[in-house]
């Protein structure tokens, strides 16, 4: 990523994905909102996706049960960027040559994804991948819905 304009342009192409919360873990270890996000908002599958080495470690349940997931990030040297990303619901697709060319986005209905990366460039790439994956799920659901009719 060369600059913020490029980041803006890439977000414009990411199917409406927006960062709701962003934590630079290295500078947020005392942040109660980060602790709440880790313990209350993220479920186990979200945590596993972002931090597989911690999740699959022998001590994950100890960290979790003692509300010490921030300590786990330190112990496993995960000091990068953690983002809570909102990806809007998409439906009412119009297809040309079996590819979507138009759709409706519901700005008030979001799917929440959590993304972790060590650098801003890698974070943006991971957000793009998540948005693409979810968008494909929306297309699949739309095609299934239209086949049922």
């Amino acid at each position: 990523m060369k600059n913020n304009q490029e980041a803006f342009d890439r977000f414009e192409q990411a199917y409406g994905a927006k960062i709701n919360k962003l934590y630079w873990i290295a500078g947020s270890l005392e942040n109660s909102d980060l602790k709440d996000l880790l313990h209350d908002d993220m479920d186990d599958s979200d945590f596993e996706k972002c931090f597989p080495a911690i999740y699959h470690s022998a001590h994950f349940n100890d960290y979790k049960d003692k509300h010490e997931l921030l300590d786990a990030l330190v112990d496993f040297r995960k000091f990068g960027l953690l983002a809570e990303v909102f990806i809007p619901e998409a439906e009412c697709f119009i297809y040309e040559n079996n590819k979507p060319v138009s759709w409706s986005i519901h700005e008030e209905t979001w799917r929440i994804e959590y993304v972790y990366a060590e650098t801003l460039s890698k974070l943006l790439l991971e957000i793009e991948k998540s948005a693409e994956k979810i968008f494909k799920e929306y297309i699949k659901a739309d095609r299934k819905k239209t086949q049922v009719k």
Side-chain angles (χ1 to χ4, degrees):
M1 184 173 60
K2 296 174 185 153
N3 56 41
N4 290 328
Q5 180 64 51
E6 180 186 344
F8 174 80
D9 294 341
R10 288 172 65 182
F11 267 105
E12 287 292 306
Q13 299 300 312
Y15 307 105
K18 303 288 182 223
I19 294 174
N20 183 54
K21 297 177 184 173
L22 178 63
Y23 298 96
W24 180 29
I25 295 169
S28 301
L29 290 172
E30 300 300 320
N31 186 311
S32 62
D33 290 338
L34 175 59
K35 186 174 184 178
D36 290 345
L37 181 107
L38 292 170
H39 289 281
D40 300 332
D41 298 339
M42 294 176 75
D43 62 26
D44 283 358
S45 64
D46 296 324
F47 197 90
E48 179 184 22
K49 184 181 117 187
C50 292
F51 308 105
I54 299 171
Y55 183 82
H56 292 287
S57 74
H59 303 290
F60 171 71
N61 287 325
D62 292 335
Y63 286 119
K64 184 177 174 185
D65 293 344
K66 294 178 183 176
H67 289 279
E68 296 176 344
L69 290 174
L70 283 173
D71 293 335
L73 297 178
V74 172
D75 292 348
F76 282 79
R77 307 181 68 69
K78 299 296 180 187
F79 299 117
L81 301 155
L82 178 62
E84 178 184 72
V85 179
F86 286 178
I87 302 169
E89 183 179 318
E91 64 177 8
C92 301
F93 289 85
I94 296 173
Y95 302 92
E96 286 182 10
N97 298 323
N98 210 26
K99 293 184 180 185
V101 293
S102 178
W103 54 88
S104 296
I105 289 180
H106 297 278
E107 293 291 337
E108 65 280 345
T109 308
W110 302 90
R111 173 130 166 224
I112 299 172
E113 287 289 308
Y114 297 96
V115 178
Y116 174 80
E118 288 293 323
T119 66
L120 193 54
S121 294
K122 289 179 182 175
L123 183 75
L124 185 53
L125 182 62
E126 291 301 316
I127 290 170
E128 289 171 322
K129 286 179 186 177
S130 287
E132 178 74 24
K133 176 182 165 263
I134 291 170
F135 189 74
K136 286 179 180 178
E137 291 174 14
Y138 292 150
I139 293 169
K140 184 177 179 181
D142 181 72
R143 287 185 171 152
K144 185 176 183 179
K145 183 172 67 174
T146 56
Q147 287 175 351
V148 171
K149 290 182 180 179

